[in-house]
Amino acid sequence: MKKISLLLLFLIFVNCKEDKGLHQKSQASDKEITSLSYAQGFSIENHQDFKVLEIKNPWPKSDKTYRYALVSKEMAPKITLNKDEFDAILITPIQKIVVTSTTHIPALELLNAENTLIGFPDTNFISSEKTRALIDQGLVRELGKNESINTEVLLELRPELVIGFGIDGNNKTFDNIQKAGISVIYNGDWVEKSPLAKAEWIKFFGVLYNKEKEADSIFKNIETNYLDAKKIAQNVTQRPTVLSGAMYKDIWYLPSGTSSEAILLKDANANYLWSDTTDKGSLSLNFEVVFDKAKEAEIWISPSYYSSLEAIEKASPHYTKFRAFQNKSVYSFVNTTGKTGGVTYFEMGMSRPDLVLKDLIKIAHPELLNDYEPHFFERLK
């Protein structure tokens, strides 16, 4: 009997110990993975009392994975998590956030969470009227330049979270921010390979605000609009030839056939002349190669930052030899800006690929989408 009693006491002790917190075994079981249709750079594990946000390879050639535990405000006092298993433990919904790219702004606004934004580096780049109103009211503080965030102001603001992005993972500013006790999450939406994959990162923001259902609904609407527009474009048999990019120091940079830009042109049923290339990143070609292939191209899309035909001609008289230039069929997004000069496309384009696709369809097939007015692109004059 004594042995049995001791055994029962041992089992009770073990069970009580397990109930006190969530150890490794309980974290590995009873979880569901949020379904993602396109994005590969993050995942969400739904456990009984908390969630795990995993960020994978958030910059080119990265082999790093980061794990964050997300605990609701209600559950936080009730559970114990092993801090060593996570890069940070965050209480949700986030109340005070700093983001570092204009591409993050639309997700906050779509989720009605823009009021949680308290700081941004170089606020002039923000084009949205909604967030600009918050800046004008002094509710979003200026944090200097992205490469060297004003950490003094940031520490004064004490955000719960900073959303950053990395080119190579070497960012001393982010390291210092984390040493000061402020969590940083690298957002890798820009590394994704397709337009819809990038847009699906709204679910990343959704889990930070306990708004997963809203984020899923928003994305489904964007996806449906995108696929419907793509279907309309596929009914057209004539595919105009397309040139893209421009020269910088005698080298012409243009999108690879695997890029989001090329995918958008394909889905708009346009014949992008470098669609068969498989290079990662942009292509770097000399003028002669580009001219030989694209001199008769019907449309020229995104000629760098040139805002007029005159500016293009002044940059290089060679540009005037292209048929698209001669026919004034050159289209760019650089002239669509907010009141402080922020380019709307750079802010919204990634989160709203359905609108970008419709713009390109309107350019390539003007007979389609009769009542549609482009959001980003306009014909250069």
Side-chain angles (χ1 to χ4, degrees):
M1 285 292 293
K2 188 174 182 180
K3 286 184 178 179
I4 293 174
S5 297
L6 288 171
L7 178 60
L8 287 172
L9 286 171
F10 173 75
L11 290 172
I12 290 169
F13 171 76
V14 170
N15 287 333
C16 289
K17 190 174 181 181
E18 289 181 354
D19 288 340
K20 270 188 175 182
L22 294 163
H23 59 42
Q24 189 170 359
K25 183 179 179 181
S26 66
Q27 290 177 17
S29 59
D30 283 337
K31 68 178 180 182
E32 294 181 358
I33 307 297
T34 295
S35 176
L36 298 173
S37 301
Y38 305 91
Q40 298 179 356
F42 75 101
S43 64
I44 301 167
E45 298 174 5
N46 300 286
H47 297 259
Q48 183 176 348
D49 297 319
F50 69 105
K51 302 177 189 295
V52 175
L53 172 64
E54 189 170 271
I55 306 297
K56 310 167 190 175
N57 309 328
W59 54 83
K61 299 181 181 179
S62 169
D63 58 357
K64 291 191 175 184
T65 297
Y66 300 90
R67 287 171 62 82
Y68 304 89
L70 307 180
V71 186
S72 70
K73 186 178 180 180
E74 294 74 24
M75 287 302 302
K78 302 176 184 178
I79 66 172
T80 302
L81 293 171
N82 185 351
K83 292 182 179 180
D84 294 335
E85 295 182 15
F86 305 101
D87 290 281
I89 297 175
L90 299 167
I91 307 301
T92 60
I94 298 297
Q95 302 293 327
K96 296 168 65 178
I97 197 170
V98 164
V99 300
T100 56
S101 170
T102 56
T103 60
H104 305 153
I105 300 296
L108 297 182
E109 293 189 353
L110 287 167
L111 292 168
N112 294 315
E114 68 276 1
N115 288 331
T116 65
L117 181 66
I118 59 173
F120 187 87
D122 214 331
T123 54
N124 283 339
F125 284 127
I126 295 177
S127 61
S128 164
E129 292 183 7
K130 204 173 182 181
T131 301
R132 288 231 60 85
L134 297 175
I135 296 169
D136 293 342
Q137 294 171 49
L139 299 175
V140 179
R141 291 280 297 277
E142 173 62 60
L143 295 177
K145 300 295 181 183
N146 210 349
E147 301 78 14
S148 55
I149 292 174
N150 189 326
T151 52
E152 185 177 338
V153 175
L154 184 75
L155 293 177
E156 179 188 331
L157 292 172
R158 297 302 302 180
E160 298 161 274
L161 179 62
V162 173
I163 303 295
F165 63 93
I167 304 300
D168 56 12
N170 297 316
N171 191 309
K172 292 182 179 179
T173 300
F174 289 155
D175 292 341
N176 291 333
I177 291 170
Q178 291 182 95
K179 288 176 183 176
I182 298 172
S183 299
V184 175
I185 296 182
Y186 283 101
N187 181 300
D189 54 3
W190 63 285
V191 185
E192 295 284 356
K193 296 179 180 178
S194 76
L196 286 174
K198 294 177 179 180
E200 196 167 21
W201 275 74
I202 191 171
K203 297 178 183 180
F204 158 86
F205 284 97
V207 76
L208 296 176
Y209 290 98
N210 296 343
K211 292 187 174 185
E212 294 95 323
K213 289 183 180 179
E214 293 93 326
D216 185 63
S217 177
I218 291 166
F219 176 72
K220 282 181 178 177
N221 186 54
I222 291 170
E223 179 190 30
T224 298
N225 290 341
Y226 186 100
L227 296 177
D228 286 348
K230 176 182 175 180
K231 187 176 180 179
I232 291 171
Q234 300 315 302
N235 295 325
V236 179
T237 56
Q238 296 295 322
R239 301 174 64 233
T241 50
V242 177
L243 163 69
S244 185
M247 286 189 293
Y248 178 73
K249 293 183 178 179
D250 298 326
I251 299 296
W252 195 300
Y253 294 94
L254 62 165
S256 162
T258 61
S259 66
S260 292
E261 294 84 355
I263 292 171
L264 282 159
L265 287 168
K266 179 182 177 181
D267 290 346
N269 206 8
N271 179 16
Y272 176 49
L273 294 173
W274 279 268
S275 62
D276 59 346
T277 57
T278 57
D279 306 57
K280 292 183 179 180
S282 61
L283 303 175
S284 307
L285 306 174
N286 61 46
F287 175 82
E288 288 75 16
V289 170
V290 175
F291 183 71
D292 183 60
K293 191 167 188 172
K295 60 185 175 183
E296 294 298 324
E298 296 165 78
I299 298 170
W300 186 358
I301 293 283
S302 304
S304 189
Y305 291 98
Y306 300 119
S307 58
S308 67
L309 295 176
E310 181 183 4
I312 293 175
E313 185 173 3
K314 282 184 177 179
S316 173
H318 295 306
Y319 289 137
T320 64
K321 299 177 181 179
F322 288 92
R323 175 186 172 188
F325 181 91
Q326 294 167 357
N327 291 342
K328 299 181 180 180
S329 295
V330 185
Y331 297 84
S332 178
F333 49 72
V334 299
N335 291 326
T336 306
T337 63
K339 69 176 184 179
T340 55
V343 177
T344 306
Y345 178 85
F346 291 146
E347 183 169 306
M348 281 186 63
M350 191 181 296
S351 63
R352 294 300 308 271
D354 54 328
L355 299 180
V356 179
L357 180 59
K358 288 181 179 181
D359 277 18
L360 295 175
I361 291 172
K362 190 68 176 178
I363 292 169
H365 310 291
E367 71 279 9
L368 301 179
L369 306 177
N370 289 326
D371 298 326
Y372 179 78
E373 289 294 328
H375 278 72
F376 309 108
F377 286 88
E378 66 176 41
R379 198 174 203 154
L380 294 188
K381 300 175 181 178

